[in-house]
Amino acid sequence: ALAERLRGQSMFHGAARSISAMSALLAHEVKNPLAGIKGAAQLLQADLSPENQEFARMIVEETNRVTALLDRMEGFAGGGQVALAPVNIHEVLDHCLRIASASYGAHMSVRRRYDPSLPPVDGHRDLLIQAFLNIVKNAFEATENKSEMTVITSYSRGRRLSGGGTARLHVPIQVEVIDGGPGIPPELRDNIFDPFVSGKSGGSGLGLALVASVVADHGGLVEVDSVPGRTVFRINFPPAGREGPQ
């Protein structure tokens, strides 16, 4: 069953790469209004109170990050590779939660249960932010006011998943994002990471396909368990400095 899930991850990865190729055609047009948004935020920053200047800085930082993401999408569509370096997953998660709490997640409380011994992963910070933002946004949008979301990290040295044959995937680093929403409809659970599959009215179905693609780029595995009242997105990563399958 694990080997089948890993093969499924590979299929999601390929599908999401095709979407990236199509999206790259629009990157130039999207970057133009982003430049305008960034410029407007910078002009406003000097006239804002100190507490509101933080929100203006967030706008500037996020437009920079999205512009860089679009640049990478253009390169990715042309066959570019993702450059990885050691990344602190807790810093990535806290960044995503700050963004969420300032916008669509203001109605929820977040409980963090972080493993302080968690080692870094070989990752691309901006791509990981984009992936976790999609997961966090889904959790926030699925829940009502005064709900709680829990983010758990853990490390299990012996966590290895079979990739078929003799190869074993060593993925001891785990992140779980848990919400108390209504759950994923049963008819969507097996295909939730496929492109264009969405349980939201008007949803594009691209967010979780991107998540699967990014996690696969990092040598990891993403799964979801969902029943009414509890949905868990579980992401496993190899540690930094790995040397291929073990």
Side-chain angles (χ1 to χ4, degrees):
L2 286 173
E4 290 177 2
R5 293 206 302 271
L6 288 167
R7 283 194 295 272
Q9 296 288 302
S10 179
M11 292 172 62
F12 302 152
H13 191 198
R17 283 180 181 267
S18 297
I19 293 167
S20 295
M22 292 187 292
S23 300
L25 299 175
L26 302 176
H28 178 74
E29 293 304 318
V30 174
K31 285 188 287 186
N32 284 337
L34 279 176
I37 292 169
K38 175 183 174 180
Q42 289 173 320
L43 289 172
L44 286 171
Q45 200 165 349
D47 297 326
L48 295 173
S49 62
E51 59 269 25
N52 287 332
Q53 285 181 1
E54 176 62 27
F55 293 113
R57 282 194 293 272
M58 184 181 294
I59 294 171
V60 172
E61 290 174 2
E62 285 303 288
T63 53
N64 284 338
R65 186 181 64 80
V66 174
T67 299
L69 179 64
L70 291 169
D71 288 338
R72 280 190 299 277
M73 286 175 65
E74 290 177 304
F76 190 45
Q81 297 296 312
V82 176
L84 306 180
V87 173
N88 183 329
I89 285 291
H90 292 156
E91 190 276 329
V92 166
L93 291 169
D94 284 341
H95 181 85
C96 294
L97 293 171
R98 280 195 302 271
I99 292 170
S101 65
S103 52
Y104 46 78
H107 66 289
M108 282 186 72
S109 62
V110 176
R111 186 155 59 110
R112 295 169 172 86
R113 288 168 48 191
Y114 289 172
D115 181 346
S117 68
L118 202 73
V121 302
D122 279 328
H124 195 294
R125 179 179 178 272
D126 286 357
L127 289 176
L128 287 171
I129 287 173
Q130 196 68 23
F132 280 112
L133 273 178
N134 275 288
I135 293 175
V136 167
K137 187 171 187 288
N138 277 356
F140 280 130
E141 290 180 343
T143 51
E144 300 177 349
N145 288 340
K146 300 183 180 179
S147 297
E148 183 178 80
M149 184 179 74
T150 303
V151 181
I152 303 171
T153 64
S154 62
Y155 183 86
S156 176
R157 186 180 300 276
R159 188 182 291 124
R160 298 172 186 270
L161 302 180
S162 173
T166 59
R168 291 176 65 80
L169 190 65
H170 185 215
V171 284
I173 297 169
Q174 185 172 93
V175 179
E176 294 176 290
V177 179
I178 305 168
D179 71 69
I184 298 168
E187 65 272 16
L188 298 182
R189 286 176 197 161
D190 291 341
N191 306 102
I192 196 65
F193 295 105
D194 291 353
F196 310 117
V197 173
S198 176
K200 295 183 291 186
S201 177
S204 67
L206 300 181
L208 292 180
L210 174 67
V211 170
S213 176
V214 169
V215 173
D217 276 333
H218 288 75
L221 179 70
V222 58
E223 301 175 286
V224 62
D225 292 326
S226 185
V227 296
R230 180 179 168 86
T231 295
V232 183
F233 279 91
R234 188 173 295 109
I235 306 95
N236 292 318
F237 293 105
R242 70 190 188 279
E243 296 182 357
Q246 300 179 35

